[in-house]
Amino acid sequence: MHLIARILVALNAIIHAYIAWFEMTAWSSAGPRVFPNLPAVLFEHGGAMAANQGLYNGFLAAGLIWSFFIKDVRWQRNVATCFLIFIAIAGIYGAYTVSLTTLYAQLAPASLALAALWGLRSKP
């Protein structure tokens, strides 16, 4: 993987590790400040739902981290691409169903990393 692509893949992993932490541990305390337009009852009674979402974000981060340990350049790129596409789709769906800010938090970083992976790809 090219250095720029590696940095952008790592950034996406960090973003999703943070989202996992936030949704699994800080949903009821920090959630109302982060998502002021959502109803308060969602933060009072939605902790299990948020933790479930956080677990999925943790899996996305884990998949991207896993890609760094794959020796074969093609498979490293393929695995990173798969998880980045998952993130991009989640960003589009989140923008449609929750808030446009997910375009900036999920879709934009994933798209940049995908562009770097495929535009600056290392020759296998």
Side-chain angles (χ1 to χ4, degrees):
M1 228 187 296
H2 190 276
L3 179 61
I4 294 171
R6 291 177 72 82
I7 291 168
L8 291 171
V9 169
L11 176 65
N12 276 273
I14 291 166
I15 289 169
H16 284 275
Y18 171 76
I19 293 171
W21 169 82
F22 171 77
E23 290 176 338
M24 295 179 86
T25 63
W27 180 252
S28 59
S29 60
R33 288 189 307 274
V34 175
F35 299 105
N37 296 334
L38 295 179
V41 69
L42 194 63
F43 302 105
E44 296 167 18
H45 302 290
M49 177 205 60
N52 189 357
Q53 288 178 200
L55 183 64
Y56 289 107
N57 279 290
F59 290 147
L60 294 172
L64 293 175
I65 293 166
W66 170 42
S67 74
F68 287 107
F69 295 97
I70 299 171
K71 300 292 184 213
D72 182 272
V73 176
R74 285 185 182 159
W75 277 106
Q76 184 182 55
R77 185 175 60 232
N78 290 342
V79 168
T81 296
C82 179
F83 283 94
L84 290 167
I85 289 171
F86 291 159
I87 291 170
I89 292 168
I92 292 167
Y93 187 75
Y96 178 72
T97 59
V98 179
S99 169
L100 282 176
T101 59
T102 58
L103 285 176
Y104 309 113
Q106 292 181 305
L107 180 61
S111 297
L112 290 172
L114 283 166
L117 269 176
W118 289 95
L120 301 171
R121 64 181 170 200
S122 302
K123 297 208 186 327

